[in-house]
Amino acid sequence: MTTVDTRQTIDYDRLFLGGEWTEPTTEDRIQVHSATTHELVGSVPEGREGDIDAAVAAARAAFDDPSGWAHFTPTQRGEVLERFAKALEARGAETARRVTVQNGMPTWLSQQWEQGFPPMLVRFFVDLVKQTQEEIRPGLLGKQTMVIRKPIGVVGQIVPWNVPQAITFLGMAPALAAGCTVVLKPSPETVLDAFMLAEAAEEAGLPAGVVNIIPGGREVGAYLVSHPGVDKVSFTGSTAAGRKVAAACGELLRPVTLELGGKSAAVILDDADLDSQLEDFFGNTMINNGQVCWTSTRILVPSSRYDEITGTLADLYSGLAVGDPLDPATKVGPLVSERQRERVEGYIAVGKQEARLLVGGGRPHGIDQGWFVEPTVFADVDPKARIAQEEIFGPVLSIIRYEDEQQATQIANDSEYGLGGSVWTADSDRGEAFARTVRSGTFGVNGYANDPVAPFGGVKSSGLGRELGPEGLAAFQEIKTIYLDRPNA
Ligand code: NAD
């Protein structure tokens, strides 16, 4: 019998920095395993401090070049970035596939978010920069003033593994469009997609040093955050890590955008027609296997319809297709890693003590590998319970009963977080009025979609600053005022 070894891994030997594929400073490597099969799917060099030094130096030189990227006109940068968008599009399907293999994101979703969003965001911010550069204001003191926007400088960007490409471009697209240069540190769990990004940057002919990518763990991330050559930090990740990043940036007086954790509420009002909204409701509560910061993981159900709605939700979450995320029919794939599954299962054990298990609570039957957890729903959850207060980051939901809208608002606001949320109602005006009452950076009426035109971000422990929209561009710009020697017109 002949044995054919069909294993194929994606391996890179060099790091992309300074516009070149560069020998890493050490022989350390990151090995990436499939969340579904546990197989080794690839490996890349693991960045160390010396690699960050070289990447920041390259980004610094590119930014400080007096005829370089920061001094291109918006149109000139736009031409280069349009080539970048096209190069990303050309690789989009493979990028999405790599994300799905690495972190278990269902393929229909990685095609929307990881393939679709990056080029869209690049083009959106290029257009925005072309519209918003300079402003003349008639002065109160007799002469005109001019307000101009300049790129903020070298950006140190740190991203998590859950939606690695779309999250990268929430920061990288406005940074590049504004004229900044970027050192990106992806999470070790999802690095193979970041190398596709590097290949796209190379093919598009981004000037040397404009994009540099150093994969690595938290120590390397911390080193980047405090590096003297960095002007601005863009961090997406857990609230615990965000506090450390904020402390380091505070000490250095370094501007920082923080996109952190969440525990948002989906509030079902007493007039809601949930049966006609189940797809959107699932999307708002358990998308990406429950590993999204803005998902509404607390479901607030009115007392007047509690049993009926709880029954509808039990049917919804017990009927989801769980399995191979590469299968387009799969709704819920595996968690990213063993560590993540342990964490989520720990919370399920807590939930079994604190509340009534309605759906799931174990590992799916018939699947013997992959970091799977059953879609799990607890009912009769006390708003103060740990499973209602702490971010679980897995397919685990808490149903909480409320008596009236005022109490629903109060429960929704009873959280250290304030990132997303949603309200479900047959009356969109009533939904809008309710949305205004919740203390969060974003909120959806009968759905939730991060439209790029509007700012996205959190209040309280969910973060500082905003991404997307003109506000997301402003985060990568310095505002400079010039008092002109020109009388008011
Ligand atoms: P994490 O904080 O452990 O890691 C995120 C990234 O930060 C990784 O690249 C990691 O290597 C790096 N890192 C960790 N500690 C660091 C430090 N002290 N200094 C510098 N870098 C450091 O988070 P995770 O487990 O990878 O991601 C899940 C978390 O991210 C969840 O809490 C989720 O809510 C949050 N998240 C937030 C948003 C948002 O937009 N608000 C989006 C996605 C994920």
Side-chain angles (χ1 to χ4, degrees):
M1 193 178 82
T2 322
T3 308
V4 182
D5 187 351
T6 54
R7 276 179 306 169
Q8 261 192 330
T9 58
I10 303 164
D11 301 288
Y12 291 86
D13 291 333
R14 290 166 178 248
L15 296 168
F16 186 70
L17 63 97
E20 290 178 352
W21 292 95
T22 306
E23 201 72 48
T25 56
T26 73
E27 292 183 355
D28 299 343
R29 294 189 69 77
I30 295 172
Q31 306 222 313
V32 188
H33 294 86
S34 157
T36 312
T37 65
H38 309 170
E39 282 170 311
L40 181 68
V41 289
S43 67
V44 304
E46 179 167 13
R48 294 291 180 196
E49 294 183 358
D51 303 302
I52 294 280
D53 288 339
V56 173
R60 188 80 259 161
F63 186 78
D64 292 342
D65 177 351
S67 57
W69 186 246
H71 302 278
F72 284 22
T73 64
T75 303
Q76 288 170 325
R77 277 200 299 273
E79 282 166 13
V80 180
L81 290 175
E82 177 53 32
R83 295 201 301 270
F84 189 35
K86 287 203 169 88
L88 290 166
E89 263 165 358
R91 290 164 178 76
E94 172 60 8
T95 300
R97 192 192 70 81
R98 289 188 185 187
V99 171
T100 292
V101 168
Q102 294 172 110
N103 74 0
M105 179 185 290
T107 199
W108 57 270
L109 186 60
S110 62
Q111 285 166 3
Q112 282 177 39
W113 284 0
E114 302 292 86
Q115 177 173 354
F117 259 71
M120 178 171 71
L121 291 174
V122 169
R123 291 184 175 122
F124 171 73
F125 281 107
V126 164
D127 286 346
L128 215 52
V129 170
K130 286 183 186 166
Q131 295 160 24
T132 55
Q133 284 311 286
E134 297 185 356
E135 199 188 325
I136 301 279
R137 299 184 188 173
L140 287 180
L141 305 180
K143 292 184 182 178
Q144 293 181 344
T145 61
M146 178 185 259
V147 180
I148 61 173
R149 289 170 175 77
K150 295 165 72 82
I152 203 164
V154 173
V155 175
Q157 187 183 13
I158 295 172
V159 295
W161 44 261
N162 64 327
V163 191
Q165 284 303 299
I167 288 176
T168 293
F169 279 87
L170 293 183
M172 186 179 281
L176 296 181
C180 298
T181 59
V182 178
V183 176
L184 170 70
K185 190 208 78 67
S187 214
E189 292 84 352
T190 45
V191 284
L192 301 176
D193 51 299
F195 280 70
M196 295 294 287
L197 190 169
E199 289 173 11
E202 184 185 32
E203 182 184 284
L206 259 69
V210 169
V211 168
N212 312 273
I213 301 178
I214 308 292
R218 58 186 53 185
E219 297 78 17
V220 170
Y223 187 73
L224 174 61
V225 166
S226 297
H227 200 287
V230 168
D231 298 305
K232 151 100 194 184
V233 172
S234 167
F235 177 85
T236 305
S238 62
T239 294
R243 287 187 207 283
K244 294 192 181 126
V245 171
C249 290
E251 185 64 31
L252 293 163
L253 292 180
R254 180 165 292 171
V256 59
T257 304
L258 298 169
E259 295 290 353
L260 309 176
K263 191 78 189 178
S264 303
V267 180
I268 301 170
L269 297 186
D270 55 13
D271 65 350
D273 174 18
L274 206 57
D275 288 328
S276 67
Q277 298 176 303
L278 292 177
E279 187 70 29
D280 286 340
F281 196 81
F282 163 75
N284 182 231
T285 51
M286 207 181 271
I287 200 161
N288 199 26
N289 320 328
Q291 298 171 131
V292 178
C293 51
W294 50 252
T295 43
S296 293
T297 50
R298 295 180 293 153
I299 303 179
L300 274 54
V301 176
S303 217
S304 58
R305 294 180 58 197
Y306 189 78
D307 291 343
E308 170 222 329
I309 291 176
T310 298
T312 302
L313 295 174
D315 291 346
L316 170 63
Y317 294 105
S318 59
L320 296 170
V322 180
D324 180 356
L326 286 168
D327 179 345
T330 293
K331 282 286 190 198
V332 179
L335 299 181
V336 67
S337 63
E338 184 172 21
R339 189 170 67 104
Q340 191 66 13
R341 181 163 76 172
E342 275 170 15
R343 177 188 153 88
V344 171
E345 288 184 336
Y347 274 110
I348 291 175
V350 170
K352 286 176 178 170
Q353 304 296 316
E354 290 183 323
R356 172 164 66 94
L357 180 67
L358 184 71
V359 172
R363 296 180 182 175
H365 301 293
I367 301 179
D368 53 10
Q369 56 181 5
W371 309 121
F372 287 92
V373 170
E374 279 183 313
T376 297
V377 183
F378 290 99
D380 309 343
V381 180
D382 185 303
K384 295 283 186 204
R386 278 187 65 198
I387 57 166
Q389 289 290 331
E390 298 177 20
E391 184 182 54
I392 297 174
F393 226 57
V396 182
L397 304 175
S398 293
I399 297 179
I400 302 172
R401 180 196 290 263
Y402 72 88
E403 297 303 328
D404 55 28
E405 274 188 48
Q406 205 182 349
Q407 192 191 18
T409 297
Q410 183 245 315
I411 295 171
N413 285 335
D414 183 11
S415 171
E416 74 160 302
Y417 297 108
L419 185 54
S422 58
V423 59
W424 303 80
T425 169
D427 177 348
S428 60
D429 291 342
R430 191 177 167 204
E432 182 193 321
F434 186 86
R436 291 173 188 273
T437 69
V438 179
R439 201 165 160 231
S440 66
T442 61
F443 208 82
V445 180
N446 290 326
Y448 183 99
N450 317 106
D451 194 309
V453 301
F456 168 79
V459 299
K460 302 192 270 183
S461 296
S462 289
L464 281 180
R466 292 292 180 270
E467 293 180 317
L468 295 177
E471 296 80 1
L473 174 62
F476 294 98
Q477 293 174 318
E478 294 281 17
I479 293 179
K480 178 166 182 174
T481 297
I482 303 176
Y483 307 113
L484 296 172
D485 182 18
R486 197 189 291 164
N488 288 332

